[in-house]
Amino acid sequence: PAPSCCSLNLSSAMTKLLCSLLLLCVASSAYGWAATQVHIGGQATVRRPQVESLLRLRAVSPSFNDKSPSSDETGADRSLTRRDAGIAAAAALAGLVLPQRASAFCPPNCNPDDPSKPLVSVEAPKAPTTTVVEPQDGPPVDLSSPEGAKLAPVTDKAFFDVSIGDENTTSRIVVALYGTIVPQTVDNFKQLVKGSKGFGYKGTEFYRLVQGLQISAGDVLKNQGRSGKSAIKEGGVPFEPESFRLMHSVPYMLSMVNTLDKQVDSRFFIATRQQVDLGYSRIFDGKYVAFGRVIEGMGTILKIDGLETKPGKGINAGRPKQAVIIKDCGML
């Protein structure tokens, strides 16, 4: 401890000045020792484990008191506590400022004055919820159920009068259309049936068949199944599939053929399986736009489906040996 000036019993001004200088030197030396143990800026320096332990205890324990250490402290801690208090007193007497004590770790959003309390209230994360989102244009429509039949009323009917091979007679096929579900697709089909744009289905052929699966027609350009032309788009360009809501869950569904770019133009196909199950329906559902169904002339459909086909690969495969021509067509 620093000597007391009063104990020297000096009365001259010079002696008092020397005493003050001595006290200042002692305080400065104590401060210098403390500064070597604590890094200025608030972080403990790992030079002496005892000092680091003291600073950590001062930072994280709100009840810590430099002058009155708790009973849990060790002897070394109490010794350092008394020394630390003496250094602070000497520095205060000399007009000096000790470096800041090391602060406790404060995570984001904490209160530096009290780390146990957040600075602002934070809402607990909400548990994710699972919602079933229906397609934008509505749920699937299964025509095999009464509910599905109500959702898809017949809006129009069209007919094809077809000839097979060298027959001089024609057989009629009638299709029902579901314009409330796919109005754009039905409008395109109706205009092609009527030939309102100067081209249409009249005079074209059923160019491909896959026995027990489907028969295809509607190539209004070359009659080979490689091209088509829409009646509702400028220049006859294809358009995006309108909707896959109508399922192929009943026999003889009428659907659009996809282009290579997964669009539709004038080509269509008729499913030919008489007994339909879920597996059969999944072959077409979600891939081809259904828009109608054959309601008359199923015998003619089956007759076409049973024709012999020419050998070939790719688009040429499945072409019937006997020409199947749409001699006439129109709306009913």
Side-chain angles (χ1 to χ4, degrees):
S4 174
C5 290
C6 298
S7 65
L8 300 178
N9 296 320
L10 300 177
S11 58
S12 65
M14 183 61 71
T15 304
K16 291 181 179 180
L17 178 60
L18 291 174
C19 183
S20 298
L21 291 174
L22 178 61
L23 183 61
L24 180 60
C25 290
V26 173
S28 298
S29 299
Y31 173 72
W33 177 87
T36 61
Q37 307 306 313
V38 182
H39 175 67
I40 296 176
Q43 299 297 324
T45 303
V46 190
R47 293 185 60 182
R48 289 187 57 183
Q50 295 89 344
V51 175
E52 185 185 10
S53 175
L54 173 65
L55 294 176
R56 184 164 56 248
L57 184 62
R58 294 171 70 189
V60 303
S61 177
S63 62
F64 180 80
N65 190 321
D66 286 10
K67 297 180 180 179
S68 302
S70 66
S71 59
D72 294 334
E73 295 177 6
T74 64
D77 289 333
R78 284 195 294 271
S79 176
L80 287 172
T81 300
R82 288 192 296 271
R83 185 183 300 170
D84 194 45
I87 293 170
L93 184 61
L96 300 173
V97 180
L98 282 173
Q100 297 293 324
R101 68 177 60 179
S103 58
F105 171 71
C106 189
N109 195 44
C110 81
N111 189 338
D113 297 330
D114 187 356
S116 64
K117 297 180 180 180
L119 191 61
V120 294
S121 60
V122 179
E123 295 183 2
K126 297 180 180 180
T129 56
T130 303
T131 56
V132 178
V133 180
E134 294 280 1
Q136 291 185 0
D137 55 354
V141 178
D142 182 0
L143 294 177
S144 65
S145 67
E147 294 79 9
K150 291 180 181 179
L151 290 174
V154 175
T155 57
D156 305 276
K157 293 180 181 180
F159 72 90
F160 294 125
D161 289 336
V162 299
S163 64
I164 301 175
D166 296 330
E167 295 179 356
N168 294 323
T169 59
T170 59
S171 302
R172 175 162 289 194
I173 300 170
V174 178
V175 296
L177 306 177
Y178 304 104
T180 57
I181 305 296
V182 278
Q184 184 183 45
T185 307
V186 167
D187 182 37
N188 180 65
F189 184 80
K190 288 167 59 177
Q191 293 195 43
L192 290 165
V193 167
K194 293 184 291 186
S196 56
K197 294 297 180 69
F199 60 92
Y201 293 135
K202 186 175 180 178
T204 62
E205 300 180 18
F206 281 83
Y207 58 83
R208 183 171 185 257
L209 64 90
V210 180
Q211 291 185 353
L213 187 67
Q214 52 92 5
I215 57 176
S216 302
D219 183 347
V220 297
L221 294 179
K222 299 180 180 180
N223 244 345
Q224 296 178 349
R226 299 182 180 181
S227 56
K229 188 176 182 179
S230 72
I232 60 173
K233 294 294 182 180
E234 188 69 26
V237 297
F239 56 95
E240 294 294 326
E242 183 176 7
S243 171
F244 300 114
R245 287 185 65 192
L246 280 170
M247 300 174 63
H248 297 76
S249 54
V250 293
Y252 308 114
M253 288 296 293
L254 175 66
S255 307
M256 297 300 293
V257 171
N258 290 338
T259 67
L260 293 177
D261 296 327
K262 304 299 182 183
Q263 296 182 314
V264 294
D265 44 37
S266 58
R267 288 167 289 178
F268 65 89
F269 69 90
I270 298 172
T272 58
R273 185 171 296 184
Q274 300 181 62
Q275 301 296 326
V276 175
D277 54 25
L278 186 59
Y280 179 81
S281 181
R282 286 175 177 170
I283 297 174
F284 306 107
D285 291 344
K287 304 178 186 70
Y288 302 95
V289 178
F291 63 96
R293 180 187 182 190
V294 175
I295 57 175
E296 294 181 23
M298 291 79 159
T300 301
I301 297 296
L302 294 178
K303 186 175 182 179
I304 298 171
D305 182 64
L307 294 175
E308 292 186 16
T309 58
K310 298 178 181 179
K313 296 182 179 180
I315 194 66
N316 294 319
R319 191 170 188 89
K321 290 183 177 181
Q322 300 182 64
V324 181
I325 302 172
I326 301 175
K327 293 290 188 177
D328 195 11
C329 56
M331 303 300 299
L332 296 175

